[in-house]
Amino acid sequence: MNTTNTEFFAYQFKPVLNFLESPCNGILIADEVGLGKTIEAGLIWTELQARLDARRLLVICPAMLCEKWRLELGDRFGIKAEIVDAGELVDRLKIAKSSPYQSFALISSMQGLRPPKDAKESKRGSARLSRLLEELEAEDPLLDMVVIDEAHYLRNKETQTNKLARSIRPAAHNLVLLSATPIQMRSEDLFNLLHLLDEDAFPYPSSFDEILENNKPLIRLRDRVRSGPMTRDEFVKALEVDDLVRIILGESEQVRYMRDNPPTDEELESPGGRSLIADQLDRINPLTKVVSRTLKRDVHERRVIRNPKCIKAKMTEPERIFYQQVTEKVRQYCESQQISTGFILMIPQRQIASSMAAACRGWQERLDATRADAADILYEIGLNPENVSEGFSPGNLLLELIAIAKSVGDYSVLRQNDSKYASLSRSLKTYWEEHPGKKIVLFSFYKQTLIYLQERLEEEGISSIVLHGGTDKQDALNQFKDDNGPSVLLSSEVASEGVDLQFSSLLVNYDLPWNPMRIEQRIGRIDRIGQREEKILIFNFMYEETVDERVYESLLARLDVFTSALGVIEGTLGDKIQELTLELLTHKLSPEEEEERIRQTRDAIENLNIQQVQLEEQASHLIAHGEYIQNKVKAAKELGRYIRGEDLLSYVRDFLCEHLDGCRLVPANRPFEYHLELSYEARALIGAFIQENQLMGKSQIISPNPPTLYFNNRSGDVNSRAEQITQSHPLIRFITDFHRRNETIKRRFPVVAARISHLNLQNIPAGVYAFCIQRWMASGARDTERLEYVAWSVGHEHPLPKDSAELLINTVAHEGEDWLGTRNEINCNLAAEFYDRCSESLEDTYRAFVSAQEREDRDRRAMMISSIEKHLRTQGDRINERIARYEREGDEKYRRMIPAERGKLKHLTDRLQSRIAELRLKDNVTHGHAFVSAGVIKVE
């Protein structure tokens, strides 16, 4: 926490905590658009680096998002990532196999890594990657973490993209899937994603649903405990669940213990006791942590008000004639066409709805005359490009449009009488009068409209830049983001995916997608994390008395799509809109019939949305654990449970003073910047550590001309003048390793007396407090370490609540001062008595901590052993099936592959059986506690 160049939002740490609890070494993050899934994945990677010295990261995403990932990892997390193709990835993996300390962060596109159908023989990079991953499936994972963005592309297990994910899973120790798709518990899509995460934990479609159903009683009890005091009898009754759940959870030692040893009435009465019990209940079934979903409506930190405005342009006479003639000609042409070609005939209708002048000029200049252009436009208006038949040529349609444009359209006349542009011009100028200098984002699905608008705006002295599929996206965005850059971004949908434009608070829909999901994608460019305005504006432009106007008023406005996102699955919604679009634009319907058809679609979508909202409510309650995790994260932030730059500075300075003679830190010109002077001996020690741990290139502190050091624990907070010291820097790791090896950590301040003003504290009354801090450790299937605080107001019956004690002590450590003359101001014997109470309280709590850790460890170890045994059977069966197939083939080429497969099976068996043996050896949790500090504090 607080170690990255990101703004603090508690909900973004929920996936991190869920991931750490998940026994699958993986998680599906399914947050809504704009909540920062990229940041959440980066936070998980940061945690793995800190905990496990993770070194190798691979991000797989759609090609258009590769550059965004590279910039985000660099700017926010200080990670220098490279974009590589399949061949380059193969080379890097081979190097990593021979060099276990190899470090890298790589980004590759899904399209470039997908295995070809002829992967066995092809020499393409993606085929080489497929063969390498097959060789590696029985080996130790080469990649510490793989992130797959837009994971909904993996939902269909018959696709090559899904095959890529399946083949890369064994090579990834940890897998993070990111998708904004709504969660449906019993869907085949969800199962396919969870099966990728852990095929043994989720072997069949209803696996996750059963896990959640079985966990319901525990979740209900946890929430009941948190909500307020309850009696012991009520607690016991709540654990009396039905037979099915008892069969499954009855094997849990933690559940059995709670049933046999329920908490006391006193524990259930106190806030601290209830918090501890709720935490124990929350940790019983870690498989529920494999999915994390946050909805915008649940995030209190960033509720932005959306203010949509409908701006209707009344057609001029030349526009009306052109619109009617084109519409009639297209409908006549449609009557003789097959349905697949009928989708193409929607294009001219949508183009004139976008800009008649731009459409007329485009047709007259014979633009958009290729099948690829047609597919792009279909995608942009929210239809499926696969409906463009392979044999389709837009030539005949284009000739017809050219004839129409020449017979009824005059570009110069339409330009002079452009009612829609006139409305845009007035609206922008009015907006800038109230918001001078603000940037504006305008969307249109037609490239010619964007070019036309740029020309018109330039004539009025308004600078703009065009962003579409054929432009350099990053260059255009950099220009637009510059304070002195263009005022307006003119963007198409294809180029806007994965783009963050939250510095703008006005979005213009110059033409309207009819699919609400497309509208949400557009709005999501500015309604996302980092939007500083409390209200964003959405201007929707359309011509009066057109199908667009009727769709807007009867469908989009009624569904309230501009102020809140629909929860309906995108594929289902897209089908409904596609049916409506085809019918409205290729059939002869009267305005009344169009209204009725739109109403039917609206009713169908509303019904689908109601069903989805109900499923979301169920899923979010079971998956996201309400506000429980977010409250824990907020508390950690408020209590200062993170390392600051000044903490690192003290850590290094104290170490140099105590253990390395002839070394010192000399202040430089700026705060937290220092020159490090090292003795020859220190230089040799640090150099040996860097060499031993393969950290070359991570620091220049032992170079002949060492740089200035900048103590700042926020990765990505770049200071080009100096080398940044974070908690993962080689110097910090060297000091920590030195202490560990030499057991030199001393109690610098074993007993202290400090004072602080009550103005520095919240809700902690003035008085004298005795306190004690201990460090608790437990090691088993996983390691746990924590600091435990107790503070007791001298003369009072009960100690401070746990969080209040931690807040008091940490605040005093950072902001307090020595309390001189303590002996003259307090009764030392009385203070000693309350210190003893603190110690006894810690001892009691420690015994409970150890007991709970042992139960949890036995449950987790049993689950891990079971999972490894299942995985061994699954993988073994897969290899044996291949061996049997090669034997049946009879081909010498396949027979030569059999020994390698048998060797792979032996290696897999040895590796996993060794892991099982290791887990069984950890039959008992090793634990311990150590005194850290104690003393008295005066709150004045």
Side-chain angles (χ1 to χ4, degrees):
M1 186 185 295
N2 217 45
T3 63
T4 62
N5 192 26
T6 59
E7 190 172 351
F8 175 81
F9 293 105
Y11 70 86
Q12 290 183 336
F13 288 84
K14 183 170 68 179
V16 182
L17 296 179
N18 281 339
F19 174 83
L20 295 174
E21 292 290 331
S22 168
C24 302
N25 292 330
I27 190 170
L28 167 61
I29 302 176
D31 292 358
E32 274 191 306
V33 174
L35 291 180
K37 291 183 290 296
T38 306
I39 292 174
E40 291 169 342
L43 291 171
I44 291 174
W45 175 245
T46 301
E47 192 67 26
L48 287 177
Q49 285 181 301
R51 287 172 179 255
L52 304 174
D53 192 23
R55 293 169 179 250
R56 294 187 288 275
L57 169 69
L58 173 64
V59 176
I60 301 174
C61 60
M64 67 180 69
L65 299 183
C66 287
E67 184 62 17
K68 181 199 174 190
W69 268 97
R70 189 186 70 80
L71 293 172
E72 289 266 307
L73 289 174
D75 294 344
R76 297 185 184 279
F77 301 97
I79 299 169
K80 294 180 180 178
E82 303 172 55
I83 298 174
V84 297
D85 60 25
E88 292 168 324
L89 178 58
V90 169
D91 296 339
R92 300 298 287 272
L93 289 176
K94 287 182 176 178
I95 293 173
K97 186 177 179 181
S98 59
S99 304
Y101 286 105
Q102 173 80 10
S103 297
F104 57 66
L106 305 176
I107 304 167
S108 293
S109 72
M110 286 178 178
Q111 298 92 321
L113 299 189
R114 278 191 303 236
K117 297 289 179 63
D118 59 344
K120 293 291 184 186
E121 293 81 22
S122 174
K123 295 181 179 179
R124 291 160 57 187
S126 55
R128 290 171 52 215
L129 176 64
S130 177
R131 294 194 291 270
L132 176 62
L133 291 174
E134 187 174 319
E135 293 172 14
L136 294 174
E137 69 176 350
E139 304 284 336
D140 288 330
L142 279 182
L143 297 162
D144 292 308
M145 187 168 107
V146 171
V147 178
I148 302 182
D149 197 4
E150 304 294 341
H152 48 272
Y153 288 119
L154 313 177
R155 293 178 298 188
N156 184 349
K157 65 180 180 181
E158 304 302 323
T159 63
Q160 294 302 103
T161 308
N162 182 276
K163 185 176 180 181
L164 165 66
R166 292 201 309 271
S167 63
I168 213 162
R169 182 60 179 106
H173 189 70
N174 299 285
L175 178 63
V176 176
L177 303 179
L178 308 178
S179 176
T181 302
I183 297 296
Q184 282 193 318
M185 288 300 101
R186 298 171 180 82
S187 74
E188 187 77 14
D189 290 344
L190 177 62
F191 163 68
N192 287 336
L193 294 180
L194 295 179
H195 192 68
L196 284 174
L197 287 174
D198 192 331
E199 63 182 352
D200 304 308
F202 305 101
Y204 46 86
S206 60
S207 308
F208 189 56
D209 185 51
E210 289 180 5
I211 288 168
L212 293 181
E213 286 295 319
N214 296 333
N215 209 49
K216 265 185 180 179
L218 295 176
I219 298 297
R220 278 198 302 266
L221 179 55
R222 184 210 61 202
D223 290 343
R224 173 68 182 86
V225 168
R226 286 181 57 238
S227 65
M230 65 186 302
T231 66
R232 187 179 195 180
D233 290 341
E234 290 171 335
F235 184 91
V236 172
K237 186 175 182 180
L239 274 179
E240 293 176 357
V241 294
D242 59 62
D243 291 338
L244 175 62
V245 178
R246 184 178 291 111
I247 289 171
I248 294 170
L249 289 180
E251 299 172 5
S252 166
E253 196 166 318
Q254 296 168 86
V255 173
R256 281 202 303 272
Y257 179 85
M258 280 196 163
R259 188 176 290 126
D260 297 340
N261 303 275
T264 65
D265 288 335
E266 291 75 17
E267 290 170 328
L268 290 165
E269 178 75 24
S270 72
R274 294 202 311 275
S275 177
L276 180 62
I277 296 163
D279 186 60
Q280 291 170 352
L281 288 165
D282 194 59
R283 297 159 68 91
I284 286 176
N285 192 354
L287 277 175
T288 61
K289 309 295 179 70
V290 77
V291 178
S292 179
R293 178 156 173 82
T294 301
L295 306 177
K296 285 183 178 177
R297 66 171 181 261
D298 299 329
V299 178
H300 303 294
E301 295 102 323
R302 57 158 325 277
R303 285 187 176 172
V304 174
I305 298 171
R306 297 180 178 184
N307 187 4
K309 181 180 181 182
C310 176
I311 301 172
K312 299 179 183 179
K314 187 173 183 178
M315 288 188 206
T316 59
E317 192 59 26
E319 287 177 323
R320 188 176 304 282
I321 293 171
F322 185 75
Y323 183 87
Q324 289 174 348
Q325 294 257 6
V326 171
T327 301
E328 185 59 30
K329 290 284 187 181
V330 167
R331 281 179 169 165
Q332 289 175 4
Y333 190 83
C334 179
E335 290 176 359
S336 61
Q337 302 301 312
Q338 294 181 349
I339 198 70
S340 61
T341 308
F343 282 102
I344 303 301
L345 296 175
M346 299 175 192
I347 294 172
Q349 288 291 124
R350 304 300 284 132
Q351 287 175 336
I352 60 173
S354 175
S355 169
M356 286 187 232
C360 180
R361 182 173 69 174
W363 298 338
Q364 289 179 347
E365 294 178 0
R366 294 171 174 259
L367 299 172
D368 296 316
T370 67
R371 181 179 181 277
D373 287 330
D376 280 350
I377 295 170
L378 278 177
Y379 174 82
E380 301 229 14
I381 65 177
L383 299 176
N384 187 353
E386 293 178 5
N387 287 301
V388 182
S389 61
E390 289 293 334
F392 172 77
S393 170
N396 292 337
L397 173 60
L398 182 64
L399 290 174
E400 187 73 17
L401 293 173
I402 292 169
I404 294 170
K406 288 183 176 178
S407 63
V408 302
D410 185 322
Y411 167 67
S412 61
V413 173
L414 289 171
R415 190 180 188 281
Q416 292 169 6
N417 293 273
D418 191 338
S419 59
K420 195 176 184 184
Y421 177 77
S423 298
L424 173 69
S425 178
R426 287 193 301 270
S427 299
L428 297 187
K429 290 171 182 175
T430 301
Y431 174 75
W432 276 318
E433 286 176 3
E434 299 176 7
H435 307 86
K438 292 287 287 184
K439 302 274 187 173
I440 294 172
V441 179
L442 181 149
F443 278 104
S444 169
F445 48 70
Y446 186 29
K447 181 167 63 177
Q448 294 309 311
T449 297
L450 300 173
I451 296 170
Y452 169 77
L453 289 176
Q454 186 179 40
E455 295 170 0
R456 296 297 304 267
L457 290 170
E458 187 176 350
E459 290 171 3
E460 298 196 54
I462 300 171
S463 59
S464 64
I465 190 164
V466 172
L467 177 60
H468 58 71
T471 58
D472 184 331
K473 179 167 70 173
Q474 201 54 51
D475 180 63
L477 290 173
N478 289 340
Q479 290 186 51
F480 180 57
K481 291 177 181 179
D482 191 311
D483 291 341
N484 298 317
S487 301
V488 182
L489 175 69
L490 304 169
S491 178
S492 72
E493 255 99 1
V494 170
S496 71
E497 290 190 22
V499 173
D500 299 335
L501 302 169
Q502 58 268 46
F503 53 87
S504 172
S505 56
L506 169 59
L507 181 135
V508 175
N509 287 311
Y510 196 70
D511 44 44
L512 276 176
W514 293 355
N515 188 333
M517 299 298 284
R518 292 281 186 206
I519 292 172
E520 180 59 28
Q521 284 175 354
R522 286 183 175 186
I523 298 173
R525 298 308 101 204
I526 68 170
D527 183 6
R528 57 196 305 109
I529 292 302
Q531 175 56 256
R532 297 298 182 184
E533 300 292 335
E534 294 182 0
K535 179 173 67 176
I536 60 174
L537 302 177
I538 303 159
F539 289 179
N540 300 307
F541 285 83
M542 68 204 69
Y543 291 108
E544 282 186 357
E545 300 177 10
T546 61
V547 176
D548 267 340
E549 181 188 39
R550 288 189 280 278
V551 169
Y552 176 85
E553 292 186 342
S554 299
L555 179 69
L556 302 177
R558 292 280 189 89
L559 289 174
D560 201 24
V561 300
F562 298 101
T563 58
S564 59
L566 287 177
V568 181
I569 296 292
E570 183 175 0
T572 307
L573 186 58
D575 292 342
K576 295 293 181 186
I577 297 299
Q578 192 158 283
E579 293 170 10
L580 175 66
T581 306
L582 183 62
E583 194 161 347
L584 292 182
L585 295 186
T586 58
H587 295 170
K588 260 192 171 177
L589 299 177
S590 67
E592 292 77 17
E593 290 170 330
E594 287 180 349
E595 285 278 4
E596 176 59 24
R597 186 65 187 84
I598 293 168
R599 185 195 63 77
Q600 292 171 2
T601 301
R602 184 187 72 229
D603 291 346
I605 291 174
E606 283 181 329
N607 287 334
L608 286 170
N609 198 51
I610 290 170
Q611 296 171 18
Q612 181 58 35
V613 167
Q614 292 172 346
L615 289 169
E616 285 278 5
E617 290 292 338
Q618 175 195 20
S620 63
H621 176 68
L622 293 173
I623 296 170
H625 307 303
E627 297 181 347
Y628 181 65
I629 293 177
Q630 285 172 223
N631 288 338
K632 288 172 68 176
V633 173
K634 287 177 184 175
K637 171 75 172 178
E638 292 165 0
L639 294 170
R641 291 177 185 163
Y642 55 86
I643 299 171
R644 306 174 303 169
E646 47 262 59
D647 299 321
L648 295 174
L649 175 60
S650 298
Y651 188 57
V652 173
R653 182 187 283 138
D654 293 345
F655 174 77
L656 296 178
C657 290
E658 293 183 12
H659 301 289
L660 292 183
D661 294 335
C663 302
R664 63 173 182 162
L665 286 170
V666 180
N669 297 326
R670 298 173 182 270
F672 298 106
E673 287 189 2
Y674 289 80
H675 300 294
L676 175 61
E677 296 181 357
L678 293 174
S679 65
Y680 291 118
E681 180 187 3
R683 194 179 295 274
L685 285 172
I686 296 172
F689 174 81
I690 289 175
Q691 188 77 26
E692 180 184 344
N693 290 275
Q694 300 289 312
L695 297 172
M696 292 78 73
K698 301 288 186 182
S699 174
Q700 299 299 315
I701 59 175
I702 59 171
S703 65
N705 297 301
T708 302
L709 303 185
Y710 174 48
F711 288 85
N712 183 348
N713 203 30
R714 291 175 69 89
S715 299
D717 193 358
V718 179
N719 181 339
S720 59
R721 301 180 306 276
E723 181 172 310
Q724 186 171 341
I725 304 295
T726 67
Q727 65 189 48
S728 59
H729 188 276
L731 177 60
I732 303 299
R733 294 175 60 177
F734 165 74
I735 295 172
T736 303
D737 183 72
F738 184 95
H739 284 313
R740 180 181 59 80
R741 291 189 184 192
N742 298 284
E743 297 182 352
T744 55
I745 297 178
K746 295 182 179 180
R747 302 171 193 154
R748 289 188 54 79
F749 302 105
V751 179
V752 300
R755 65 199 308 160
I756 191 170
S757 169
H758 74 279
L759 298 176
N760 297 70
L761 300 161
Q762 294 180 349
N763 303 320
I764 296 179
V768 175
Y769 295 84
F771 77 91
C772 185
I773 310 171
Q774 290 184 0
R775 175 169 160 259
W776 294 355
M777 301 144 285
S779 178
R782 65 171 189 161
D783 296 337
T784 301
E785 185 173 328
R786 76 194 211 193
L787 291 176
E788 197 70 17
Y789 303 78
V790 174
W792 208 306
S793 179
V794 175
H796 285 70
E797 185 176 353
H798 299 290
L800 282 179
K802 180 180 175 182
D803 287 349
S804 297
E806 184 175 350
L807 176 64
L808 170 64
I809 296 167
N810 283 339
T811 305
V812 169
H814 292 304
E815 303 174 25
E817 58 185 33
D818 289 339
W819 182 10
L820 303 176
T822 310
R823 290 179 178 276
N824 299 324
E825 297 185 42
I826 65 169
N827 182 330
C828 293
N829 291 331
L830 185 61
E833 177 187 332
F834 276 86
Y835 164 75
D836 290 339
R837 292 191 186 185
C838 290
S839 298
E840 291 168 5
S841 173
L842 281 173
E843 288 299 323
D844 292 342
T845 313
Y846 175 71
R847 284 192 291 271
F849 161 78
V850 171
S851 178
Q853 288 294 314
E854 289 174 340
R855 291 190 296 274
E856 181 182 341
D857 185 77
R858 284 191 284 270
D859 282 349
R860 184 175 286 266
R861 198 156 24 83
M863 181 181 292
M864 291 171 70
I865 289 173
S866 174
S867 178
I868 294 171
E869 288 174 340
K870 288 179 184 176
H871 183 67
L872 178 57
R873 287 195 298 271
T874 302
Q875 293 294 97
D877 290 346
R878 198 168 288 161
I879 295 172
N880 282 322
E881 285 173 10
R882 282 204 297 270
I883 292 173
R885 187 171 72 249
Y886 294 159
E887 289 175 338
R888 288 195 303 270
E889 291 288 340
D891 191 311
E892 186 60 29
K893 178 179 72 173
Y894 289 111
R895 287 187 179 277
R896 285 199 298 268
M897 296 168 67
I898 292 175
E901 292 291 337
R902 285 177 175 154
K904 192 184 295 184
L905 179 59
K906 182 179 185 307
H907 181 80
L908 175 74
T909 303
D910 291 345
R911 179 167 64 86
L912 296 184
Q913 289 291 3
S914 295
R915 178 64 181 138
I916 291 171
E918 288 173 13
L919 287 169
R920 286 186 170 140
L921 281 175
K922 292 185 175 181
D923 191 33
N924 294 312
V925 173
T926 58
H927 56 86
H929 64 289
F931 173 86
V932 175
S933 183
V936 289
I937 296 170
K938 183 178 183 180
V939 179
E940 300 176 306

